[in-house]
């Protein structure tokens, strides 16, 4: 709840979408849809009642989000980030259509798009634009692995936090300059690896039985040596 409140206060639409995706994954993994929804409604209603009793308008909490939506769509003063994203997509796609096999290059000089500075705000399209078809296939493979792992954990009902992290990062990456930001790749990779980790390997039953039998023989030998 604290994290959600902080994201609402920042007005970051990408972060809120990531949070929503992670929440859906957690609900499905833990098979707690009805319980979680009911609990969430109760908590939100209780919080709203407390805020209104204190003389605070709960709808003011959403003011940063509403303002951010107006900025993104260009209806308010500020940088219309939705329009900028569309410009980067259009610029990259025009180049890809002319040369779908070879990208512009992986150096920082060539990563800019329409204004020479802003990069493509979609990691798959960014990979194709800079690295060509080969990097596109590699990035598509990574994406399929991650999505497949998330779907698998949702089906088995295990590894909820790891799956939620992967879902949040992937959703965020679809509309951000994720490709060059290692601070997002690192948690994605760690979550992916952790989703396969099941803790300490169990001792095989035969090995464990042999060990118990050996310990029993040692105890019997010590007991016999006492002369009892």
């Amino acid at each position: 709840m604290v994290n959600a409140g902080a994201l609402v206060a920042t007005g970051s639409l990408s972060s809120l979408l990531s949070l929503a995706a992670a929440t859906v994954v957690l609900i499905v993994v833990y098979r707690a849809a009805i319980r979680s929804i009911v609990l969430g409604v109760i908590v939100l209603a209780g919080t709203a009642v407390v805020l209104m009793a204190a003389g605070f308008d709960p709808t003011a909490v959403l003011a940063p989000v509403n303002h951010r939506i107006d900025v993104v769509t260009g209806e308010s003063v500020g940088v219309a980030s939705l329009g900028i994203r569309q410009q980067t997509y259009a610029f990259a796609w025009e180049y890809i259509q002319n040369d779908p096999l070879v990208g512009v290059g992986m150096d920082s000089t060539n990563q800019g798009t329409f204004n020479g500075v802003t990069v493509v705000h979609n990691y798959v399209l960014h990979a194709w634009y800079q690295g060509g078809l080969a990097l596109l296939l590699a990035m598509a493979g990574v994406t399929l692995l991650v999505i497949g792992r998330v779907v698998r954990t949702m089906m088995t009902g295990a590894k909820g936090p790891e799956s939620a992290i992967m879902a949040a990062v992937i959703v965020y990456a679809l509309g951000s300059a994720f490709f060059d930001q290692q601070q997002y790749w690192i948690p994605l990779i760690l979550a992916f690896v952790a989703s396969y980790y099941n803790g300490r390997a169990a001792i095989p039953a035969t090995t464990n039985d042999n060990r118990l039998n050996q310990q029993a023989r040692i105890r019997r030998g010590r007991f016999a040596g006492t002369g009892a």
Side-chain angles (χ1 to χ4, degrees), residues 111 119 123 126 139 165 169 172-173 176-191:
Q111 69 178 354
V119 302
Y123 74 109
H126 189 157
M139 198 60 57
I165 291 173
V169 174
Y172 185 80
S176 65
F178 171 87
F179 187 81
D180 296 319
Q181 296 173 328
Q182 65 272 21
Q183 67 268 27
Y184 297 116
W185 279 105
I186 292 174
L188 176 62
I189 294 172
L190 290 177

Side-chain angles (χ1 to χ4, degrees), residues 24-25 28-29 31 149-158 163:
V24 170
V25 170
V28 174
V29 169
R31 308 292 193 264
R149 186 57 185 163
V150 172
V151 172
R152 175 65 177 172
T153 57
M154 292 172 67
M155 293 174 60
T156 58
S163 300

Side-chain angles (χ1 to χ4, degrees), residues 125-208:
L125 190 60
H126 189 157
W128 197 358
Y129 172 66
Q130 277 203 263
L133 183 61
L135 190 57
L136 168 67
L137 295 177
M139 198 60 57
V142 171
T143 304
L144 290 176
L145 282 175
V146 173
I147 294 178
R149 186 57 185 163
V150 172
V151 172
R152 175 65 177 172
T153 57
M154 292 172 67
M155 293 174 60
T156 58
K159 300 296 182 180
E162 294 88 342
S163 300
I165 291 173
M166 289 187 285
V169 174
I170 287 296
V171 170
Y172 185 80
L174 292 174
S176 65
F178 171 87
F179 187 81
D180 296 319
Q181 296 173 328
Q182 65 272 21
Q183 67 268 27
Y184 297 116
W185 279 105
I186 292 174
L188 176 62
I189 294 172
L190 290 177
F192 182 80
V193 173
S195 69
Y196 284 95
Y197 180 68
N198 293 320
R200 182 179 299 177
I203 300 175
T206 55
T207 303
N208 193 31

Side-chain angles (χ1 to χ4, degrees), residues 51-67:
L51 291 176
M52 287 188 293
F56 182 76
D57 183 7
T59 59
V61 176
L62 298 177
V65 178
N66 295 329
H67 174 70

Side-chain angles (χ1 to χ4, degrees), residues 21 44 72 87-88 92 104 121 157 160 165 167 189 221 226:
L44 290 176
V72 168
Q87 290 183 65
T88 64
V104 297
H121 278 51
I165 291 173
I189 294 172
T226 61

Side-chain angles (χ1 to χ4, degrees), residues 9-97:
T10 62
S12 174
L13 299 183
S14 299
S15 298
L16 289 174
L17 289 174
S18 301
L19 177 65
T23 303
V24 170
V25 170
L26 277 178
I27 290 175
V28 174
V29 169
Y30 291 139
R31 308 292 193 264
I34 297 178
R35 181 182 62 188
S36 299
I37 293 174
V38 172
L39 180 61
V41 170
I42 293 174
V43 171
L44 290 176
T47 303
V49 170
V50 172
L51 291 176
M52 287 188 293
F56 182 76
D57 183 7
T59 59
V61 176
L62 298 177
V65 178
N66 295 329
H67 174 70
R68 182 60 181 168
I69 292 175
D70 292 338
V71 171
V72 168
T73 57
E75 297 181 4
S76 181
V77 178
V79 179
S81 58
L82 180 61
I84 291 178
R85 283 177 169 82
Q86 291 174 342
Q87 290 183 65
T88 64
Y89 301 156
F91 187 94
W93 183 243
E94 182 178 358
Y95 177 87
I96 291 170
Q97 287 180 312

